[in-house]
Amino acid sequence: MIPRRGVAYGAAMDVIGWLLDSDPAIRWQVLQDLTGAPPEEVAAERERVAREGWGARLLALRDDDGLWAGGACFPKGYRGGEPGQPWTATMHTLQTLQILGLDPASAPARETISKVAENGRWEHAGQRYFDGEVEPCINGRTVETGAYFGVDVSGIVARLLDERLADGGWNCEAENGSVRSSFHTTINVLEGLLEYERATGGSDAVREARRAGEEFLLERGLFRRKSTGEVADPAFLEFAFPYYWRHDVLRALDYFRRSGAAPDPRMAEAAEIVEARRQPDGRWQLDRVHPGRVHFAFEDGVGRPSRWNTLRALRVLDWWQS
């Protein structure tokens, strides 16, 4: 790990200790991505996600039918009228369990996915959960969790390949006439296609689509409008956890890191933004919480030190500076 200029090496090492003094979902990723721990130590820590801490808490909130809050994208009976969007339904919870690193081969994961496949139906038109629905932002996330947990999601992938727009990305508003891709939708689809490639080996068509989507983001420096160079959305420069369907530069950089891509000069400004948000003690804060109903909080609140943002920022900067 390369400490920030002006941050003492000892302070940076204290940050690692602070991260390790946490939930198994944080610890196993710190061991794997930041300390170079032996694989058997990483695996042993990861195995605890299903039994302890946040992972176990989320699994305990699952309904008997394998779903959360009785719905796929929204809680059962949801009619709106709340601040933000509720995040307690199945799609958001499965995404969170994947981010926590729940082992797909674990008994709780296998049982859950089997029940979701049997009982999950999308609110759009009652489609079976792992058949996907019509919005590429939802389908991208479904591909990601499906591929991660060992489900055949090739049908959704084929649909996503057909829905790529001329500028290289995707947009949920395409069905309403939009011809420009969305940062949000594109990062969701890219993460899905990457996980699908990892699980299946992918195909030339999948790799071509993913490269095109990456170019959409890179041509915009991960956060700017191509037409004017202006910041497309100030929220892209603030780091939330969980991020759900929303794009920001830390999420995008972490995607490129996981993809195995070499750092691209067009990411430099985004990487500088991540570095600039490091606090004097070597940690990153939680900048934003996406409003809406949640199962429980993973952080201590906006403006407080964030283990998730710190973990993700450190591994992104290690990759960027390598």
Side-chain angles (χ1 to χ4, degrees):
M1 181 180 66
I2 302 175
R4 175 193 181 191
R5 185 178 304 168
V7 174
Y9 180 74
M13 293 304 293
D14 286 342
V15 170
I16 298 299
W18 174 71
L19 289 172
L20 289 172
D21 184 22
S22 182
D23 191 273
I26 293 280
R27 288 198 297 266
W28 82 263
Q29 295 184 61
V30 172
L31 293 171
Q32 173 183 268
D33 299 333
L34 299 179
T35 75
E40 57 272 19
E41 183 179 353
V42 174
E45 191 63 43
R46 185 181 183 185
E47 192 271 336
R48 297 172 64 185
V49 170
R51 298 183 287 106
E52 303 176 25
W54 296 320
R57 289 180 68 185
L58 286 177
L59 288 169
L61 293 169
R62 185 188 62 185
D63 299 333
D64 290 341
D65 61 2
L67 307 181
W68 280 267
C73 187
F74 297 98
K76 183 177 181 180
Y78 176 69
R79 296 292 182 269
E82 301 179 14
Q85 173 182 347
W87 306 111
T88 52
T90 302
M91 177 174 68
H92 317 294
T93 309
L94 284 180
Q95 179 194 40
T96 304
L97 284 168
Q98 178 190 353
I99 294 170
L100 298 184
L102 177 66
D103 185 350
S106 67
R110 294 197 306 269
E111 179 188 28
T112 296
I113 295 305
S114 175
K115 288 187 174 183
V116 171
E118 179 180 357
N119 299 315
R121 297 293 184 274
W122 291 105
E123 290 83 3
H124 171 262
Q127 303 99 320
R128 296 179 66 87
Y129 190 91
F130 289 113
D131 290 342
E133 54 122 274
V134 297
E135 295 192 13
C137 52
I138 289 176
N139 284 341
R141 293 171 68 192
T142 307
V143 165
E144 184 181 20
T145 54
Y148 177 84
F149 286 112
V151 180
D152 179 5
V153 286
S154 55
I156 316 178
V157 170
R159 176 175 183 137
L160 289 170
L161 298 187
D162 287 342
E163 292 175 338
R164 180 159 55 96
L165 298 176
D167 59 9
W170 290 263
N171 192 332
C172 284
E173 293 300 319
E175 64 177 327
N176 296 323
S178 177
V179 296
R180 295 180 181 176
S181 294
S182 155
F183 285 88
H184 297 301
T185 306
T186 298
I187 192 62
N188 285 307
V189 174
L190 285 175
E191 289 179 340
L193 295 181
L194 176 61
E195 195 61 44
Y196 181 77
E197 283 188 52
R198 286 179 162 182
T200 69
S203 66
D204 289 342
V206 170
R207 284 184 283 275
E208 178 187 355
R210 194 162 63 80
R211 298 291 177 260
E214 291 174 350
E215 279 298 307
F216 170 81
L217 295 180
L218 290 168
E219 288 174 350
R220 292 155 179 81
L222 309 187
F223 67 95
R224 294 192 178 278
R225 299 186 186 279
K226 186 178 180 181
S227 57
T228 65
E230 296 176 346
V231 176
D233 185 337
F236 291 172
L237 311 184
E238 298 180 340
F239 310 146
F241 189 87
Y243 42 75
Y244 304 115
W245 55 264
R246 296 181 183 271
H247 171 89
D248 63 54
V249 297
L250 180 56
R251 179 183 183 182
L253 286 167
D254 208 19
Y255 159 80
F256 280 103
R257 178 195 65 85
R258 288 185 292 108
S259 77
D264 188 295
R266 292 172 290 180
M267 308 172 187
E269 192 177 8
E272 289 171 2
I273 290 166
V274 173
E275 174 63 49
R277 287 197 172 274
R278 191 185 328 219
Q279 301 300 301
D281 63 3
R283 300 182 292 184
W284 278 257
Q285 296 180 349
L286 184 66
D287 296 326
R288 176 179 288 262
V289 171
H290 297 308
R293 193 191 318 172
V294 298
H295 293 299
F296 53 83
F298 290 89
E299 303 278 16
D300 291 335
V302 171
R304 300 286 297 166
S306 162
R307 284 186 168 87
W308 281 108
N309 284 349
T310 299
L311 163 65
R312 295 188 295 141
L314 285 175
R315 67 189 180 194
V316 158
L317 292 178
D318 278 355
W319 164 76
W320 175 252
Q321 297 166 356
S322 62

